[in-house]
């Protein structure tokens, strides 16, 4: 490898690690990753991602908390089991550049409440326009909901199968899904997109819950 190529390679890894650390800090400041929960990943290139290790405080991540994982290799020592969910999505969708997973209170509660429906539907909210492909509050946006599962391989197959199916007519699928009673996965082409989607969905679920509990 030439020196110039080595510098580009180092920069790519560096940028991805910094984006992971920044995302963790951002989510922790909003109380969406309590008690070391959540995990954050950013694509380096076609075959590698930078991803948080298991058990790290996401508000105080250091470089040693971020692993460089090759997509078609076994999980590295210290990986979160949920890294398999990230890897499957990056492998299936080359357009995804970042995946952020948080345990925000409203995402966690609303997924639990809608498990039997298999989805939460957003309609009538201005903030839904922060989601990729949504241009109107009148659109109906589907956020898939899956039962939580400690068998991450089985869960990852269920998620991949559902995300591979077309969404029903007149609906747009959100760049995110819920694990009931567990939390939210959101993604985007860039870390900035994934952050916007994570925040928009958590706040939309907060608005829905507030609306339902409000008694004029
Ligand atoms: Zn989780």
């Amino acid at each position: 490898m030439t020196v110039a190529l080595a510098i580009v390679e180092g920069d790519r890894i560096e940028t991805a690690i910094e984006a992971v650390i920044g995302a963790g800090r951002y989510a922790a400041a909003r109380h969406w990753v309590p008690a070391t929960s959540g995990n954050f990943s950013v694509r380096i290139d076609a075959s590698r991602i930078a991803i948080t290790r298991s058990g790290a405080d996401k508000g105080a991540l250091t470089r040693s908390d971020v692993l460089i994982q090759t997509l078609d290799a076994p999980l590295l020592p210290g990986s979160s089991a949920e890294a398999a969910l990230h890897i499957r999505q990056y492998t299936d969708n080359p357009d995804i550049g970042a995946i952020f997973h948080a345990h925000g209170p409203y995402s966690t509660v609303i997924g639990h409440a809608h498990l039997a429906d298999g989805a939460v539907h957003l309609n009538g909210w201005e903030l839904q326009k922060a989601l990729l492909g949504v241009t109107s509050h009148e659109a109906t946006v589907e956020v898939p909901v899956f039962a939580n599962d400690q068998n991450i391989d089985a869960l990852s197959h269920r998620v991949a199968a559902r995300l591979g199916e077309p969404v029903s007519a007149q609906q747009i699928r959100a760049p995110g899904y819920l694990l009931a009673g567990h939390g939210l996965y959101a993604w985007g082409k860039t870390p900035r997109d994934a952050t916007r989607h994570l925040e928009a969905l958590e706040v939309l679920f907060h608005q829905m819950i507030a609306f339902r509990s409000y008694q004029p």
Side-chain angles (χ1 to χ4, degrees):
M1 189 183 282
T2 66
V3 172
L5 271 177
I7 290 170
V8 171
E9 159 82 359
D11 279 355
R12 269 175 179 274
I13 295 174
E14 203 59 30
T15 305
I17 291 173
E18 276 170 21
V20 166
I21 291 174
R25 242 180 239 149
Y26 176 90
R30 286 157 182 78
H31 306 287
W32 298 340
V33 282
T36 77
S37 63
N39 36 67
F40 297 81
S41 66
V42 171
R43 187 190 284 280
I44 297 166
D45 55 27
S47 61
R48 291 175 303 170
I49 58 171
I51 185 165
T52 45
R53 71 168 177 81
S54 176
D57 175 350
K58 305 308 179 297
L61 291 172
T62 65
R63 313 177 57 74
S64 61
D65 296 320
V66 184
L67 305 171
I68 306 303
Q69 173 74 49
T70 300
L71 294 178
D72 62 1
L75 287 185
L76 293 166
S79 290
S80 158
E82 284 185 60
L85 287 166
H86 293 243
I87 288 171
R88 180 67 191 263
Q89 262 201 293
Y90 283 112
T91 304
D92 287 353
N93 191 342
D95 280 345
I96 292 180
I99 301 176
F100 298 156
H101 166 55
H103 291 198
Y106 300 104
S107 299
T108 303
V109 166
I110 208 157
H112 219 349
H114 285 271
L115 175 57
D117 307 322
V120 175
H121 291 99
L122 302 165
N123 182 279
W125 304 99
E126 179 66 13
L127 191 58
Q128 65 193 47
K129 287 161 58 186
L131 304 172
L132 181 72
V134 181
T135 55
S136 169
H137 67 283
E138 292 176 330
T140 298
V141 181
E142 183 214 66
V143 187
V145 178
F146 299 92
N148 196 21
D149 197 333
Q150 302 305 322
N151 182 339
I152 300 297
D153 275 346
L155 180 58
S156 139
H157 287 308
R158 281 193 284 128
V159 170
R162 172 86 179 266
L163 297 183
E165 288 169 8
V167 70
S168 24
Q170 320 301 328
Q171 293 187 10
I172 298 167
R173 184 170 286 140
Y177 64 82
L178 291 160
L179 299 179
H182 175 160
L184 169 67
Y185 273 81
W187 55 87
K189 203 170 174 56
T190 64
R192 187 180 290 217
D193 293 337
T195 301
R196 191 180 71 249
H197 292 155
L198 190 77
E199 175 158 23
L201 287 166
E202 176 68 14
V203 173
L204 281 158
F205 298 142
H206 187 179
Q207 291 172 347
M208 283 177 77
I209 289 168
F211 181 70
R212 287 176 189 175
S213 54
Y214 177 65
Q215 301 286 339

